[in-house]
Amino acid sequence: MNEARNAARKWQEDEALRRFRLISPLLQDGLDEARKIQLRERIAQENGISTRTLYRYEKAWKENEFQGLKPCDREKHRKQAEGMWQDGKPK
């Protein structure tokens, strides 16, 4: 069990680092909005992700820095989803 937990934490750290590397050019001071849009589009295209995903990563960084870029573990995600449903129907 501990090995699985450690592997999950390592994966979360690695994924957060990957996400940070994607958005780091967008975090530079002095970039105007037009340049950020161009950068987002280029980064998204080069990495096979949407610009919306990059916006979400940027928002997560602004709210919680590196910790915000870590994906939720499945247990936490499952509990959040369960809280949105009652008797098989959305609340």
Side-chain angles (χ1 to χ4, degrees), residues 1-26:
M1 184 69 155
N2 244 353
E3 282 184 39
R5 197 172 295 158
N6 288 339
R9 285 190 185 127
K10 169 116 176 61
W11 172 76
Q12 288 173 318
E13 293 282 332
D14 291 346
E15 184 63 16
L17 184 57
R18 184 188 72 80
R19 292 173 180 185
F20 177 76
R21 286 180 178 147
L22 288 172
I23 65 167
S24 63
L26 300 166

Side-chain angles (χ1 to χ4, degrees), residues 28-43:
Q28 297 174 38
D29 289 334
L31 281 180
D32 63 34
E33 196 55 37
R35 180 69 180 132
K36 280 187 177 185
I37 291 170
Q38 289 176 335
L39 273 171
R40 262 186 221 102
E41 289 173 356
R42 192 189 86 221
I43 293 166

Side-chain angles (χ1 to χ4, degrees), residues 1 8 12 72-82:
M1 184 69 155
Q12 288 173 318
C72 291
D73 62 25
R74 290 183 179 205
E75 188 64 30
K76 181 178 179 183
H77 184 73
R78 215 174 279 130
K79 286 179 184 177
Q80 289 173 342
E82 287 172 2

Side-chain angles (χ1 to χ4, degrees), residues 56-69:
R56 283 195 306 268
Y57 293 168
E58 287 177 83
K59 183 176 186 254
W61 172 263
K62 287 175 186 171
E63 291 176 355
N64 295 308
E65 295 186 346
F66 191 76
Q67 189 68 25
L69 295 173

